[in-house]
Amino acid sequence: MGRRQPKQLVLAFFGEHVVDADTGPIRASVLITVLEGAGVAAPATRATLDRLVRSGILARGRSGRETLFSLTEHGAAVLREATYRVRGPRPFDPQGSGWTLVTFSIPEGQRTLRHRLRSTLTWEGFAPIRDGLWLAPGEVDLAGSLEPLRQDLAPHAVVAFHARELAGFPIGESVRAAWDIEAIRREHLAFIDRWADPAATTAAAGALTLRTMLVADWLALLRADPRLPAEFMDAQWPAARSVQTYRRAHRALAEASTAEFAALVTHRPTVSRRTAPAAASSAPSPTRSAATRPR
């Protein structure tokens, strides 16, 4: 589990505390304070916020000398999409049976759109198995996941199928070629090693920063694990331990971090808002609330 990026931390903060709450805009000083506790310098936080405004995830406003940030509709949709899996009871179980196959064709000149599509597919558990052909375990709700991209995708740019393994054509080699299963195991073990120690939730950074770091790490782990069927794992597969570790750490931080957040956002400035257009994001780009989507 590598070094946390400022973008991961900002999205974790908004996803955990803002997207489903009536908090009003968040002062830049609050975000800088939280990320400084995670080792991110103020200039890096400001640069990250600027990029998230340009990508349409956040909107910038001002009140006097304060700079304020709030989620756009697009940004809220992106974060709500992740909510079900982040908080769900079985985040590493496959979504149904069989396999989902996707192939797509996007012109060379639309590199940003291609990046957004690949990012969405990766979040949904897809990996490329050969040029232009991506595979994911289970039955992925691809229509919902790609909804924010519909207006930018040409008709028939993406073609998808639900498939099953045929006798005489075992899928195991394709799975092992698409995913480094041992690397996924190492991601789980790194998460467990980082957060299983009770001291991890009592560090000097403060409960709000620690909870933001925890959720950022959890999102990174969810992105790394495509939810492969159990037959590709061994009896010591650590996913269940990761879930237990996350829930235990989250419970330990919940009360203090919620109180700290409330204290920081008590003051609500009057906003003169300048909203960025809801452009495309490089984050996982799903759409409607995942709480309404079966997994």
Side-chain angles (χ1 to χ4, degrees):
M1 184 160 285
R3 183 173 176 269
R4 302 177 189 94
Q5 298 300 311
K7 179 181 176 181
Q8 294 173 320
L9 292 161
V10 171
L11 293 177
F13 178 91
F14 276 90
E16 188 74 354
H17 294 285
V18 177
V19 68
D20 290 322
D22 183 22
T23 61
I26 304 298
R27 302 192 305 280
S29 58
V30 170
L31 296 163
I32 288 169
T33 297
V34 171
L35 267 67
E36 279 182 337
V40 179
T45 299
R46 292 191 183 96
T48 299
L49 294 170
D50 287 343
R51 285 193 293 272
L52 288 170
V53 168
R54 289 196 297 272
S55 68
I57 296 290
L58 298 180
R60 181 189 284 111
R62 293 197 67 84
S63 176
R65 301 179 65 179
E66 286 276 13
T67 303
L68 311 172
F69 293 92
S70 55
L71 288 167
T72 63
E73 289 185 10
H74 171 65
V78 167
L79 296 182
R80 287 195 182 103
E81 169 63 23
T83 297
Y84 183 84
R85 194 175 177 203
V86 168
R87 302 174 186 174
R90 293 179 294 277
F92 299 111
D93 285 3
Q95 309 170 83
S97 62
W99 301 86
T100 303
L101 291 166
V102 168
T103 182
F104 59 87
S105 177
I106 296 177
E108 179 65 23
Q110 294 181 290
R111 292 183 181 180
T112 299
L113 179 60
R114 186 182 301 171
H115 175 78
R116 291 168 60 203
L117 177 58
R118 287 173 172 168
S119 180
T120 299
L121 293 176
T122 300
W123 172 254
E124 293 293 347
F126 285 89
I129 57 173
R130 58 184 58 190
D131 289 347
L133 183 63
W134 290 56
L135 177 71
E139 304 168 47
V140 178
D141 180 8
L142 199 62
S145 300
L146 297 184
E147 185 60 34
L149 305 180
R150 289 292 181 191
Q151 63 182 6
D152 299 318
L153 289 169
H156 313 299
V158 177
V159 179
F161 307 89
H162 182 245
R164 60 180 175 83
E165 183 178 5
L166 290 178
F169 297 89
I171 199 170
E173 286 304 313
S174 293
V175 169
R176 284 182 281 274
W179 292 281
D180 185 339
I181 294 176
E182 288 307 307
I184 298 169
R185 184 196 304 274
R186 290 193 294 271
E187 290 292 321
H188 277 283
L189 295 177
F191 179 86
I192 294 166
D193 184 63
R194 181 175 283 178
W195 290 103
D197 185 350
T201 58
T202 59
L208 182 57
T209 291
L210 287 169
R211 184 171 170 183
T212 301
M213 293 161 63
L214 171 67
V215 174
D217 289 353
W218 186 237
L219 283 166
L221 181 59
L222 294 175
R223 187 177 181 86
D225 188 315
R227 294 175 277 189
L228 292 170
E231 59 261 33
F232 296 100
M233 315 306 177
D234 55 41
Q236 287 75 43
W237 188 250
R241 290 169 55 205
S242 293
V243 174
Q244 293 167 0
T245 298
Y246 173 73
R247 290 176 180 163
R248 187 183 305 115
H250 195 276
R251 285 195 301 269
L253 292 166
E255 183 175 353
S257 62
T258 299
E260 189 177 335
F261 175 81
L264 283 171
V265 302
T266 296
H267 174 58
R268 290 190 180 183
T270 302
V271 185
S272 173
R273 181 164 162 168
R274 187 168 66 253
T275 303
S281 166
S282 62
S285 47
T287 129
R288 56 198 168 97
S289 173
T292 66
R293 291 172 50 190
R295 296 277 168 164

